[in-house]
Amino acid sequence: MITESTWTNIGPVSNYPLNLGSCVKVGGKQIAIFNLPTEQKWYAVQNFNPQNQRMVLSRGLTGDADGVPIVICPLHKYRYSLETGECFTESTYSLETFPIKVDGDSLVIEA
Amino acid sequence: MKERVIVIGNGMVGYKFCERLAEKDSENKFQIVTFCEEPRPAYDRVHLSEYFSGKSADDLSMAKFDWYEENGVELHVGEKVTQIDKVAKHVITSSGKVVKYDKLVMATGSAPFVPPVPGIDNKGVFVYRTIEDLDAIKEYSKGARTCAVIGGGLLGLEAAKAAQDLGLTTHVVEFAPRLMPRQLDNAAGTLLKDVIEDRGIKVHLSKSTSNIAGDGEVKAMEFADGSELKVDMIIVSAGIKPRDELARDTGLEVGPRGGIQVDSYLLTSDPNIFAIGECALYEGMIYGLVAPGYQMADAVSELLMGNEATFTGADMSTKLKLIGTDVASFGAIEIPADSNAREIVINDTHNNLFKKLIISEDGTKLLGGILVGDASAYGTLHQMYLNEMTIKCDPIQLIMPASDGEPAGVGVGDLPDSAQICSCEAVTKGDLCSAIEKGCSSVAELKSCTKAGTGCGGCVPMITDLFKQKMRESGAEVSDRLCEHFDLSRKQMYQVVRATGIKSFDELLEKHGTGLGCEICKPAAANILASTWNLPILEHSSLQDSNDAFLANIQQDGTYSVIPRIPGGEITPDKLIVIGEVAKKYNLYMKLTGGQRIDLLGARAADLPPIWKELIDAGFESGHAYGKALRTVKSCVGSTWCRFGVQDSTTLAIDIEKRYRGIRSPHKLKGGVSGCTRECAEARSKDFGIIATEKGWNLFVCGNGGITPRHGDLFATDLDRETLIKYIDRFLMYYIKTADRLERTSTWMTKLEGGLAHLQDVVINDSLGICEELESQMAHLIGSYECEWKNAIEDPEKLKRFSHFQNTEEVDETVEFVDIRGQICPARLNEANEEESDELAKA
Ligand code: SRM
Ligand SMILES: Cc1cc2nc3c(=O)[nH]c(=O)nc-3n(C[C@H](O)[C@H](O)[C@H](O)COP(=O)(O)OP(=O)(O)OC[C@H]3O[C@@H](n4cnc5c(N)ncnc54)[C@H](O)[C@@H]3O)c2cc1C
Ligand code: SF4
Ligand code: FES
């Protein structure tokens, strides 16, 4: 039986700085990925910030708002949930989120 | 039996009436039934344009379906009232319902006026009033490149901005010889035209459209003067026409130019029928703004409740939103005929600023005014006008930037409690103050509990000012905790870090905070850690704003700027050549900054390390333009060259800039040194300014340019160099230790208890006994300086992050530049689909 896997390997985990965002290109899409070491978790969202229409989210700070992990746009400080992509600053915006996980030594992403 | 009130029209005003009556009718005396022609319940038409910038129809709705249900208001959507029988007292609807009423309220609003020009029925001609209109415009714009808006009034300009945002080359065609003819005078209109044209919208004045050419689809506009404009689509915004057709058919009295005639009780010629909002004609006037409509809605709801209320006209002051420049007018815009009023005009075409005030003959009362380019004074001026407040200063001060500290105009604090701050919702200053006293603890809460600021939004800056002022007055209630993650103020966090020796954010968070941190506490903590321990900044890069994390300022398109330090503005030809060569090699835009140095812009993150490598090899250092740190110490040529100079200001500026470079502080720091009192280095507008005297140096502190300019205070006179530097060391360190985050020295000073005298006491007389400590902490910071960029390029681990993609070498193809005056510039968002604009072609 052949199962179609949509997971893409984006290289060894050690390539990715912990605590800081990075940007990867998967199938033509720019995706911002974040690791929150205290949470032991990886997150992936679109790199494109719908508010200012620029590819900048991977360069944003991370943190939490009322316990929800967030990324904050470096240009105008809009806050987005890393879990759902919801924008807390202006509810009309939202981000696409992508499943991401560690597989052996590598990071894989479904995009 | 309940009395039945039927409301025809569920627009902004019809809805507001339902809301007001339902709220007041606590005994349920009335049954409210409303018919709504549009396919959805009332929405915020004032903010209609935001539908293009991402708001959904749902976001714009005034109230959800649930609201109507919960409040017992019977809503019929998509159902129009087609007939009124005023004798039988019933209405007939488009679905054939016959419904009896006791009282009828007409809130049918208005429709855009579409001039009967031949060819206007071609495809591609739109109006701009409903969500459906906007949907149609958006859809059609996909196949269009140029758009003309007929009408250069308030709404026309808003529509033009929307068309431009859709990526269309946009023209505004106005019949009158100026824009916004009803709100502006000639000079203001001319200036506004220039500003709008600078933004890429072409304006054609004194043009009357005689024909719209097309073959079923719009092709061009033809004007009475024989000229022609090729366009693919047209938005008509040439004024409004009250929806009085139903009233006419019913035999109600209407005005000669339209509008349902009402008296001061908002009654039509039939004693059971009221009319409110944009369909109502009161004393020959249609009120095309929400605030007057809301006042009418409120009055009718009071009358129905048996209370006394009248409508006797309303203020028509306006502030234009969305066009990218401020425009506002209130009261009289010209000197009223046969009055002795006077006018004061500032027409600064150089800065695109126009300000005009009409004042009473004796200069004590404000009768009206116009503001273009900077309408920040609108809130206060408008209030002064409405409340007929006495002008206590020289009236010109009201529109001039004040030279020292406080602006001369009145602040919210001076307004009487009865002053209406929000005219849409009729909320007074007194209402807001009591809401704050009852516990509203944020502007958002204040808005939701008083409704102030929820209409046109024009009053929000004043509400915010009032809120802040009340908070300041009540002292204790102002929480100065940094954010949800720390129960500490910046000053306390600084003390904790210094006292406990904590060197990382994680440790700080673990011991004194909660959660994961955020964009407020992380940079604040990084800044404090740097001000205390002075470790290379990239060691905290995950805490820093993008600017500090990349050691460069992020620009609007996501690229970065590079500013090498040029101490005192002095530079050798060889070094200047290196900067030029680097800029050329990496294709960077080059500009002299306001701080006497050179900015190289448009660098991709990945190019930053090689660029800096070349600059550092040539002897440059980081200029810290990205950090909350010392920027520049501006200098003049001083006694070395200048025929007036009395001391060597250049050398002192260079030495001081080098002394404090790299030191992190609560906000950026700037200095200046002038060689004599002529003050060519503008030292008094700096955080610390030094002016040479015959005997030594005068020191000024806490000056500021920027948002609220403030001249520095004279701190000490005729100092020798050594004492001067000692005082600056102590002053800066005291500021670093005690100021709030992002607080410049000038704001810090205005809040400092005891003010200048206290500061002099601490720094000169050592009244707190901390001077030794201040000096040694400063000595540590100076001694541990290291160029951050040099440190970074020598550390491969730190450079990891400078590539755009982590999994490929590709560059970010979304960054695009265009050529402007021979250099690169970021492409605007819609530049790609913008074509050479079609010009007005003479026929
Ligand atoms: C580049 C420059 C404009 C230019 O082309 O000349 C500039 C550019 C910026 N200024 Fe400025 N300012 C520049 C000179 C000034 C000056 C003039 C001066 O220093 O003599 C002032 C007024 C003087 C003063 O600060 O008192 C000035 C007052 C401001 C302010 C208002 C500060 C205030 O306290 O009111 C801000 C906003 C802020 O800091 O919050 C600001 C903020 C900014 C920021 C950082 C905005 C931002 O966050 O993106 C701009 C980014 C710089 C960049 O990307 O490189 N800039 N800015 C100037 C850089 C000077 C330098 O060599 O470092
Ligand atoms: C783009 C735009 C920007 C604006 N900006 C501002 C601003 O910044 N500040 C400001 O103060 N004002 C602004 N306005 C004006 C403001 O929106 C109006 O003053 C306000 O909407 C008037 O409310 P109304 O209820 O009288 O009319 P409307 O909002 O027009 O509502 C009337 C409703 O009645 C319905 N109706 C008509 N006849 C019938 C019938 N026979 N049966 C059933 N229903 C019927 C209509 O379909 C409509 O839904 C703006 C308007 C537009 C279009
Ligand atoms: S401040 Fe004085 S010394 Fe300096 S350039 Fe001006 S006039 Fe000359
Ligand atoms: S004045 Fe319109 S919202 Fe307050």
Side-chain angles (χ1 to χ4, degrees):
Chain A
M1 203 178 87
I2 303 163
T3 49
E4 201 153 347
S5 165
T6 47
W7 291 90
T8 307
N9 186 327
I10 52 170
V13 179
S14 58
N15 268 3
Y16 293 87
L18 300 181
N19 249 326
L20 292 171
S22 309
C23 178
V24 293
K25 197 169 192 179
V26 178
K29 271 190 205 148
Q30 294 202 14
I31 298 175
I33 68 175
F34 303 91
N35 175 262
L36 300 184
T38 40
E39 302 275 282
Q40 302 273 330
K41 249 172 118 168
W42 289 89
Y43 297 92
V45 299
Q46 71 189 50
N47 193 32
F48 183 78
N49 180 0
Q51 180 256 330
N52 47 45
Q53 318 234 319
R54 299 294 186 182
M55 292 289 184
V56 290
L57 287 176
S58 67
R59 290 175 261 166
L61 280 174
T62 55
D64 81 271
D66 288 330
V68 181
I70 52 171
V71 56
I72 302 120
C73 172
L75 285 174
H76 304 114
K77 307 266 186 296
Y78 278 48
R79 293 170 154 213
Y80 297 90
S81 159
L82 284 173
E83 274 161 2
T84 61
E86 184 189 348
C87 178
F88 294 136
T89 315
E90 165 71 75
S91 58
T92 51
Y93 300 120
S94 65
L95 305 178
E96 192 178 353
T97 60
F98 303 90
I100 179 170
K101 62 183 182 190
V102 177
D103 186 3
D105 289 339
S106 298
L107 265 179
V108 293
I109 189 165
E110 192 173 23
Chain B
M1 259 280 279
K2 282 192 193 176
E3 269 191 72
R4 185 180 292 149
V5 180
I6 293 185
V7 187
I8 308 182
N10 188 241
M12 295 187 78
V13 175
Y15 162 76
K16 187 56 62 175
F17 169 78
C18 296
E19 182 196 286
R20 290 285 154 88
L21 186 61
E23 200 176 272
K24 289 174 185 153
D25 181 23
S26 50
E27 291 167 16
N28 278 320
K29 284 200 301 201
F30 296 101
Q31 183 200 9
I32 309 172
V33 179
T34 179
F35 291 96
C36 174
E37 177 192 44
E38 291 188 60
R40 58 173 62 79
Y43 51 90
D44 182 355
R45 216 180 289 289
V46 169
H47 294 101
L48 186 65
S49 294
E50 290 172 22
Y51 184 62
F52 279 154
S53 52
K55 285 246 163 99
S56 64
D58 213 37
D59 296 327
L60 289 174
S61 73
M62 310 275 300
K64 310 277 175 239
F65 277 104
D66 305 356
W67 180 87
Y68 295 88
E69 219 157 275
E70 280 159 21
N71 289 275
V73 176
E74 197 177 312
L75 169 71
H76 300 273
V77 176
E79 187 163 357
K80 190 175 165 179
V81 172
T82 51
Q83 261 183 60
I84 302 171
D85 186 331
K86 56 183 183 183
V87 182
K89 289 182 45 179
H90 67 226
V91 301
I92 302 179
T93 72
S94 49
S95 68
K97 282 197 197 94
V98 179
V99 191
K100 284 185 90 51
Y101 63 81
D102 296 295
K103 297 283 178 209
L104 185 63
V105 178
M106 304 198 65
T108 49
S110 68
F113 166 69
V114 180
V117 179
I120 197 96
D121 47 2
N122 270 302
K123 254 179 77 187
V125 181
F126 300 89
V127 294
Y128 198 83
R129 175 126 196 134
T130 65
I131 290 188
E132 285 66 35
D133 293 336
L134 266 63
D135 279 334
I137 290 171
K138 195 170 184 175
E139 189 53 39
Y140 200 84
S141 74
K142 290 179 187 156
R145 271 194 262 141
T146 47
C147 175
V149 174
I150 302 184
L154 208 69
L155 291 188
L157 293 178
E158 196 176 315
K161 166 80 167 31
Q164 192 185 38
D165 289 346
L166 285 173
L168 299 165
T169 302
T170 304
H171 300 260
V172 170
V173 177
E174 167 60 49
F175 178 71
R178 63 167 182 262
L179 291 173
M180 296 180 68
R182 286 199 294 166
Q183 288 90 1
L184 301 182
D185 68 1
N186 262 327
T190 307
L191 185 85
L192 179 61
K193 172 173 184 275
D194 290 345
V195 173
I196 286 178
E197 295 205 314
D198 278 351
R199 296 185 175 270
I201 296 177
K202 296 223 170 44
V203 178
H204 313 280
L205 300 174
S206 306
K207 289 276 175 202
S208 116
T209 312
S210 56
N211 184 41
I212 292 170
D215 48 9
E217 279 177 21
V218 171
K219 292 275 178 287
M221 295 174 67
E222 292 164 10
F223 302 110
D225 62 7
S227 59
E228 185 191 82
L229 177 66
K230 293 216 183 321
V231 291
D232 304 324
M233 63 188 286
I234 293 174
I235 300 175
V236 181
S237 183
I240 55 173
K241 170 177 97 221
R243 298 272 309 261
D244 59 8
E245 63 277 4
L246 188 59
R248 257 175 224 274
D249 295 346
T250 310
L252 298 177
E253 199 180 314
V254 295
R257 302 219 313 278
I260 310 172
Q261 188 71 53
V262 295
D263 62 13
S264 57
Y265 295 110
L266 299 151
L267 272 178
T268 63
S269 54
D270 182 296
N272 294 310
I273 307 180
F274 296 91
I276 56 176
E278 277 188 351
C279 61
L281 179 73
Y282 174 75
E283 293 196 335
M285 180 86 174
I286 293 286
Y287 289 88
L289 294 174
V290 274
Y294 282 9
Q295 289 166 29
M296 297 180 195
D298 196 53
V300 175
S301 66
E302 286 291 340
L303 288 167
L304 289 181
M305 292 304 297
N307 303 326
E308 180 58 25
T310 51
F311 176 83
T312 53
D315 176 50
M316 288 293 278
S317 306
T318 38
K319 194 168 163 199
L320 179 65
K321 50 190 192 299
L322 290 169
I323 192 79
T325 185
D326 280 1
V327 182
S329 72
F330 58 95
I333 58 168
E334 306 271 8
I335 295 180
D338 68 42
S339 82
N340 292 324
R342 300 164 190 275
E343 64 175 24
I344 298 174
V345 180
I346 297 179
N347 188 4
D348 177 356
T349 49
H350 177 63
N351 292 306
N352 285 337
L353 279 181
F354 178 90
K355 298 183 183 184
K356 172 169 168 177
L357 294 182
I358 309 283
I359 51 169
S360 60
E361 185 179 9
D362 61 1
T364 61
K365 289 276 170 339
L366 196 55
L367 307 178
I370 301 177
L371 303 168
V372 180
D374 168 19
S376 52
Y378 173 73
T380 22
L381 294 177
H382 185 205
Q383 286 294 338
M384 287 184 79
Y385 157 72
L386 287 178
N387 295 290
E388 299 183 12
M389 294 171 70
T390 304
I391 304 175
K392 294 204 195 96
C393 56
D394 184 350
I396 195 169
Q397 296 288 350
L398 296 175
I399 44 176
M400 288 232 296
S403 54
D404 253 312
E406 291 297 290
V410 288
V412 266
D414 303 319
L415 294 173
D417 268 357
S418 60
Q420 198 173 76
I421 305 282
C422 175
S423 46
C424 288
E425 294 288 339
V427 183
T428 63
K429 176 178 163 188
D431 298 337
L432 289 166
C433 290
S434 67
I436 296 172
E437 278 149 23
K438 285 195 196 114
C440 282
S441 62
S442 70
V443 174
E445 262 177 55
L446 194 55
K447 279 165 74 179
S448 70
C449 78
T450 62
K451 293 227 170 80
T454 56
C456 70
C459 57
V460 176
M462 278 212 128
I463 298 176
T464 311
D465 279 356
L466 181 66
F467 177 76
K468 284 200 189 138
Q469 193 197 331
K470 291 295 281 185
M471 281 301 166
R472 247 181 271 127
E473 280 168 14
S474 62
E477 284 167 41
V478 191
S479 158
D480 54 3
R481 70 187 289 211
L482 268 179
C483 65
E484 64 172 278
H485 304 105
F486 284 95
D487 227 344
L488 303 169
S489 67
R490 179 191 178 274
K491 186 174 164 184
Q492 289 164 333
M493 187 184 274
Y494 181 92
Q495 285 162 351
V496 166
V497 168
R498 189 166 279 287
T500 57
I502 288 178
K503 291 202 171 60
S504 77
F505 179 75
D506 289 346
E507 193 182 344
L508 189 62
L509 192 66
E510 190 191 322
K511 294 197 175 137
H512 301 276
T514 56
L516 304 172
C518 67
E519 79 281 17
I520 298 166
C521 58
K522 279 180 162 182
N527 178 276
I528 288 171
L529 291 170
S531 299
T532 315
W533 313 121
N534 217 15
L535 297 172
I537 206 83
L538 283 193
E539 257 134 66
H540 306 299
S541 57
S542 66
L543 306 178
Q544 307 285 2
D545 266 342
S546 180
N547 283 355
D548 262 323
F550 286 86
L551 303 177
N553 297 55
I554 193 163
Q555 305 296 318
Q556 49 132 318
D557 62 345
T559 64
Y560 288 88
S561 72
V562 171
I563 304 190
R565 188 167 293 293
I566 301 179
E570 184 186 87
I571 188 160
T572 62
D574 283 337
K575 283 183 124 177
L576 194 55
I577 288 169
V578 171
I579 292 188
E581 278 170 348
V582 169
K584 228 171 162 171
K585 177 162 168 195
Y586 293 91
N587 191 25
L588 304 174
Y589 167 89
M590 208 160 132
K591 179 185 175 298
L592 300 182
T593 71
Q596 286 191 336
R597 45 197 193 163
I598 298 170
D599 203 349
L600 308 174
L601 294 118
R604 291 169 187 270
D607 284 342
L608 289 171
I611 290 172
W612 274 104
K613 169 116 193 19
E614 294 195 26
L615 291 171
I616 285 167
D617 287 347
F620 285 103
E621 293 184 333
S622 167
H624 299 98
Y626 46 81
K628 302 297 172 226
L630 180 78
R631 295 290 163 86
T632 65
V633 178
K634 189 165 170 170
S635 79
C636 71
V637 286
S639 59
T640 326
W641 291 93
C642 177
R643 67 203 160 112
F644 294 114
V646 292
Q647 306 278 354
D648 181 358
S649 50
T650 319
T651 303
L652 184 66
I654 294 171
D655 291 351
I656 291 191
E657 183 161 340
K658 288 191 171 155
R659 184 173 180 84
Y660 301 121
R661 69 194 155 175
I663 292 176
R664 288 305 198 271
S665 50
H667 205 318
K668 58 190 164 199
L669 285 171
K670 298 177 179 185
V673 186
S674 282
C676 82
T677 54
R678 285 169 193 75
E679 246 284 75
C680 302
E682 302 173 302
R684 282 192 70 193
S685 67
K686 304 300 181 198
D687 297 276
F688 55 94
I690 302 158
I691 300 177
T693 66
E694 301 277 350
K695 297 192 210 112
W697 306 96
N698 285 351
L699 174 61
F700 293 82
V701 295
C702 305
N704 203 174
I707 305 160
T708 313
R710 179 180 193 275
H711 267 157
D713 299 309
L714 180 58
F715 185 82
T717 53
D718 294 328
L719 300 173
D720 59 55
R721 190 181 156 115
E722 197 188 334
T723 315
L724 173 77
I725 290 179
K726 187 165 76 186
Y727 286 176
I728 305 177
D729 278 0
R730 293 175 179 178
F731 158 68
L732 290 180
M733 206 59 219
Y734 188 51
Y735 161 69
I736 291 173
K737 288 174 89 99
T738 58
D740 203 356
R741 62 181 274 275
L742 302 185
E743 184 172 67
R744 287 287 289 271
T745 55
S746 66
T747 353
W748 173 70
M749 170 60 104
T750 50
K751 291 194 204 153
L752 194 65
E753 217 159 302
L756 178 66
H758 165 79
L759 188 61
Q760 286 167 324
D761 230 24
V762 173
V763 171
I764 303 175
N765 307 325
D766 198 8
S767 61
L768 298 180
I770 54 170
C771 283
E772 209 175 301
E773 179 192 331
L774 295 176
E775 279 174 42
S776 78
Q777 287 166 358
M778 181 55 90
H780 166 71
L781 294 180
I782 295 168
S784 52
Y785 168 78
E786 177 180 11
C787 171
E788 289 162 359
W789 263 112
K790 187 161 190 293
N791 175 286
I793 57 176
E794 286 166 359
D795 184 344
E797 200 46 40
K798 287 180 182 150
L799 295 183
K800 255 193 180 172
R801 212 184 162 214
F802 284 86
S803 58
H804 187 80
F805 296 113
Q806 213 67 23
N807 65 337
T808 144
E809 298 287 299
E810 287 171 51
V811 297
D812 177 9
E813 79 287 352
T814 66
V815 171
E816 277 180 74
F817 299 111
V818 294
D819 179 292
I820 303 239
R821 293 179 294 275
Q823 300 205 71
I824 60 154
C825 270
R828 282 187 299 125
L829 288 172
N830 55 3
E831 205 118 42
N833 48 21
E834 207 170 81
E835 287 281 339
E836 256 316 288
S837 55
D838 294 318
E839 292 293 350
L840 256 187
K842 279 272 165 213

